[in-house]
Amino acid sequence: MWSRFSNPAKFEGLARVAAPVAMGVFAVCAAYGLVAGLFFAPAEQYQGESARIMYVHVPAAWMAMAAYSFIALMSLVAFVWRHSLADMAARSAATPGAVFTALALFTGAVWGKPTWGAFWVWDARLTSMLLLLFVYFGYMAVWQAVPEQARAARFARILALVGFINIPIIKFSVEWWNSLHQPASIIRADGPTIDPSMLWPLLAMITAYTALFTWLVFLGMRADLARQRAEKRVARKASRPVAAVTQA
Amino acid sequence: MDFGSHTPYIVVAYGASIVALAGLIAMRLRRFKAAQRGESENREAGD
């Protein structure tokens, strides 16, 4: 399966079909999630109306971790199978991942003020999410700072795999340490603890953010492929006179 | 939209999310179009 889409032409074919589908899913789910979350879902019993921030905070936090897990997986694929597009996929996921992380931190801070009385506390969940943002910055900086692409890719893969240690720490931080942050309420062994009237808009927003991420990654990869093709054409053109001289 | 004393927090959280995601979409689209334009200009120059 991995090798099937290592061919850029095959990947472009997939991306041309999948990208509009992802954008459609995003538009429909975001429209439903926003309207239902803001106007039809009830206020939370203890937190009141401020709990509506959940519909933009939880999907952003979910995507922050999912995007990083995707980067780590693609880095592993690039390391083990030398897949030609895996590094490109990982790199395309970095900016959306960093934006989702920043959004999760920001919306969490805005939700924290009316709920906890403070925008920020050095809580294990919040601190590990902030660390994730710095790991994203580091990952993007490696690609920018190292001029030779093969070396940059190697450093970026290593950083991505080492940084993945932080993902289970974020996930289980609310169980391992005393935390102001509430524990998991959707992915639990005994099922979700949220009422369906709040759960459905939340699941719609999570689906919307996931679809948007998919679309952004496909678009980023297609842009990189187009740039790569243009660079190869320039390099081929530049090498032609040399070949002519050699033949003469 | 009236969510009582929590209205400003909700407006700021939703507003920031919408602005950030719209910016991200616009940035990606601009980059994609620039790459496509660069490729077609390059192809025309080569032909």
Side-chain angles (χ1 to χ4, degrees), chain A residues 23 26 34 37-39 47-50 52-53 55-56 91-93 95-96 99-100 103 106-107 110 113-114 119 209 212 215-217 219-220 222-227 229-230 233-234 237 240, chain B:
Chain A
M23 205 48 182
F26 165 70
L34 283 175
L38 274 175
F39 303 110
Q47 301 177 45
E49 299 285 1
S50 72
R52 293 185 197 281
I53 295 173
Y55 304 109
V56 285
R91 195 178 174 181
S92 291
T95 307
V99 171
F100 285 127
L103 269 179
F106 182 79
T107 53
V110 174
K113 183 65 179 168
F119 285 110
Y209 275 46
L212 176 64
W215 181 76
L216 290 167
V217 171
L219 206 63
R222 286 185 68 194
D224 284 345
L225 281 171
R227 198 175 304 116
R229 281 193 298 268
R233 191 167 284 123
V234 169
K237 225 161 64 180
R240 265 182 217 150
Chain B
M1 273 201 307
D2 182 24
F3 301 108
S5 61
H6 292 159
T7 303
Y9 299 108
I10 294 171
V11 169
V12 167
Y14 277 75
S17 300
I18 290 167
V19 168
L21 295 185
L24 191 59
I25 291 170
M27 196 183 79
R28 272 287 146 106
L29 275 175
R30 209 174 51 209
R31 201 170 136 241
F32 176 65
K33 282 183 181 156
Q36 272 195 328
R37 203 169 41 242
E39 191 188 12
S40 62
E41 279 169 9
N42 188 278
R43 194 183 297 137
E44 280 164 20
D47 292 341

Side-chain angles (χ1 to χ4, degrees), chain A residues 104-126:
Chain A
L105 286 166
F106 182 79
T107 53
V110 174
W111 190 3
K113 183 65 179 168
T115 311
W116 301 336
F119 285 110
W120 181 265
V121 284
W122 290 101
D123 176 275
R125 170 63 66 87
L126 277 68

Side-chain angles (χ1 to χ4, degrees), chain A residues 48-114:
Chain A
E49 299 285 1
S50 72
R52 293 185 197 281
I53 295 173
M54 160 175 81
Y55 304 109
V56 285
H57 171 72
V58 175
W62 149 256
M63 275 324 301
M65 292 195 286
Y68 195 85
S69 303
F70 176 78
I71 291 172
L73 177 68
M74 287 300 110
S75 300
L76 184 70
V77 168
F79 246 138
V80 177
W81 287 284
R82 306 273 169 209
H83 194 291
S84 60
L85 297 179
D87 282 325
M88 202 178 274
R91 195 178 174 181
S92 291
T95 307
V99 171
F100 285 127
T101 311
L103 269 179
L105 286 166
F106 182 79
T107 53
V110 174
W111 190 3
K113 183 65 179 168

Side-chain angles (χ1 to χ4, degrees), chain A residues 120-191:
Chain A
W120 181 265
V121 284
W122 290 101
D123 176 275
R125 170 63 66 87
L126 277 68
T127 309
S128 53
M129 275 300 279
L130 182 64
L131 184 65
L132 179 66
L133 184 64
F134 292 143
V135 174
Y136 270 117
F137 288 158
Y139 180 83
M140 291 191 286
V142 166
W143 279 107
Q144 295 293 323
V146 182
E148 195 196 325
Q149 286 293 291
R151 279 187 73 202
R154 203 165 53 243
F155 289 144
R157 287 174 205 157
I158 293 168
L159 177 63
L161 290 170
V162 172
F164 184 70
I165 296 167
N166 194 31
I167 297 298
I169 293 175
I170 295 171
K171 168 77 183 137
F172 296 109
S173 57
V174 286
E175 292 169 25
W176 291 344
W177 294 286
N178 284 327
S179 175
L180 271 176
H181 198 283
Q182 66 184 66
S185 43
I186 302 176
I187 302 172
R188 294 164 57 96
D190 52 349

